[in-house]
Amino acid sequence: MRQKIITLILWAISVSAYAQQNGTLLKSQLPKIYIDEEISLHFLSPEPIQYVDISTDNMIGDIPLESVFRVKAIRDSVSNLNGYNKSLGVVTIVGQKFIAQYDLWYAHDERQLKTQIEILPIHTSPLEVGKIPMSDQELRYFSIEAFKRKKKDKITKSSQYGISGQVNRIYTVDDYIFLDISFTNKTNLKFDLDQLRFKIEDKRIVKATNVQSIEIEPEYQLFTPKSFEKKYRNIYAFKKFTFPNSKVFTIELSESQISGRTLSLEVKYADLLAADTL
């Protein structure tokens, strides 16, 4: 009997491995979760949810928060069911780097019902093969790590209208660049942030007529303040970029007023090449 059980276990493992190797997943392999029409089930994702699919009309769901998917059985669809002997359908949840699927069944017994499910790595499959972009959760983690480190000798600095700014440090992680930037307001007027723009521009040349500018959007920023009184420091993450020696990477801070104050910082390509690692 014991040998028979071991044989069955090995067979189940081999079937699962075969399915994974062939890039397929059977419905019978999906985690089975019980729901009903009275209690909402919440799936908690480790990263922002990009897409959700409910395979049948037996359930309704929505995304109340970027990392939460809420689903419930529809009363009319389950009114003829007794017990929990019928699958209501498959729910597919796609994050930034994973896809997860669950087989949802109807249950009238509250002892079978859960109110929340954490999406675990064991129930997910990666979306991309090879170099996988960082998720917002990973970008936040490395941004916090950069913020916790002590400031280094300033890489570049500029002052105007009582506002001074500097790039404290530059870090790299895989194919990402993290900028540690801080600003100081030496006036008694609060600085209302309009925007912080990042561009690759031609170096300033006297009497230049055509100046090319390419704007770059950060993939992530640690804080999103609307104003600051005396000091402001933030971490910005970018996908790796390069530019020739004839150009410079500029950071433009502007105030949200008609006659608002502005400040510009310039970062040389050599500074990016000398970046530290996190």
Side-chain angles (χ1 to χ4, degrees), residues 56-79:
T56 69
D57 295 331
N58 297 325
M59 301 172 285
I60 56 172
D62 63 351
I63 305 175
L65 299 172
E66 65 176 12
S67 297
V68 176
F69 170 59
R70 176 173 56 192
V71 65
K72 181 193 293 187
I74 297 177
R75 185 178 299 276
D76 293 341
S77 299
V78 298
S79 59

Side-chain angles (χ1 to χ4, degrees), residues 239-273:
K239 289 293 292 290
K240 184 178 68 176
F241 58 87
T242 60
F243 54 90
N245 289 329
S246 60
K247 295 184 180 293
V248 66
F249 180 62
T250 64
I251 303 165
E252 294 183 358
L253 175 73
S254 60
E255 190 174 18
S256 55
Q257 295 180 17
I258 296 177
S259 58
R261 294 164 285 183
T262 61
L263 184 68
S264 179
L265 296 166
E266 293 187 352
V267 179
K268 300 177 182 178
Y269 187 47
D271 295 325
L272 292 181
L273 295 178

Side-chain angles (χ1 to χ4, degrees), residues 104-138:
L104 269 59
W105 285 56
Y106 175 72
H108 191 63
D109 186 355
E110 291 189 356
R111 292 174 298 180
Q112 299 285 337
L113 302 175
K114 294 181 174 63
T115 60
Q116 65 180 42
I117 297 289
E118 183 179 358
I119 300 177
L120 301 175
I122 191 174
H123 296 148
T124 66
S125 299
L127 281 179
E128 298 185 21
V129 179
K131 203 67 175 180
I132 300 176
M134 285 190 186
S135 65
D136 285 354
Q137 185 181 28
E138 291 172 314

Side-chain angles (χ1 to χ4, degrees), residues 147-196:
F147 191 81
K148 290 192 298 186
R149 295 197 178 186
K150 294 182 179 180
K151 297 179 183 178
K152 204 175 182 181
D153 293 338
K154 58 183 178 294
I155 295 172
T156 183
K157 186 176 182 179
S158 179
S159 299
Q160 192 169 337
Y161 306 119
I163 304 296
S164 63
Q166 66 182 47
V167 176
N168 302 309
R169 299 185 75 169
I170 302 176
Y171 301 96
T172 60
V173 180
D174 294 333
D175 286 338
Y176 289 84
I177 298 172
F178 292 80
L179 296 182
D180 181 349
I181 307 172
S182 61
F183 297 95
T184 301
N185 181 9
K186 297 179 181 178
T187 72
N188 293 324
L189 295 176
K190 180 179 66 174
F191 193 98
D192 296 314
L193 286 167
D194 179 21
Q195 57 184 339
L196 194 63

Side-chain angles (χ1 to χ4, degrees), residues 5-131:
I5 293 174
I6 294 175
T7 302
L8 288 173
I9 292 174
L10 292 175
W11 175 81
I13 293 174
S14 64
V15 170
S16 177
Y18 176 80
Q20 291 179 6
Q21 290 174 359
N22 287 273
T24 61
L25 186 63
L26 301 176
K27 183 181 178 182
S28 60
Q29 295 175 292
L30 299 179
K32 184 182 292 186
I33 309 295
Y34 296 104
I35 65 172
D36 76 352
E37 71 279 20
E38 300 293 341
I39 300 176
S40 295
L41 173 64
H42 295 76
F43 287 91
L44 308 182
S45 170
E47 58 191 49
I49 296 171
Q50 308 298 306
Y51 166 82
V52 165
D53 177 74
I54 301 175
S55 66
T56 69
D57 295 331
N58 297 325
M59 301 172 285
I60 56 172
D62 63 351
I63 305 175
L65 299 172
E66 65 176 12
S67 297
V68 176
F69 170 59
R70 176 173 56 192
V71 65
K72 181 193 293 187
I74 297 177
R75 185 178 299 276
D76 293 341
S77 299
V78 298
S79 59
N80 297 326
L81 297 178
N82 294 316
Y84 45 87
N85 57 353
K86 180 178 176 58
S87 171
L88 297 181
V90 174
V91 164
T92 301
I93 304 172
V94 178
Q96 294 175 319
K97 296 174 60 176
F98 74 84
I99 179 171
Q101 292 183 302
Y102 299 86
D103 187 10
L104 269 59
W105 285 56
Y106 175 72
H108 191 63
D109 186 355
E110 291 189 356
R111 292 174 298 180
Q112 299 285 337
L113 302 175
K114 294 181 174 63
T115 60
Q116 65 180 42
I117 297 289
E118 183 179 358
I119 300 177
L120 301 175
I122 191 174
H123 296 148
T124 66
S125 299
L127 281 179
E128 298 185 21
V129 179
K131 203 67 175 180

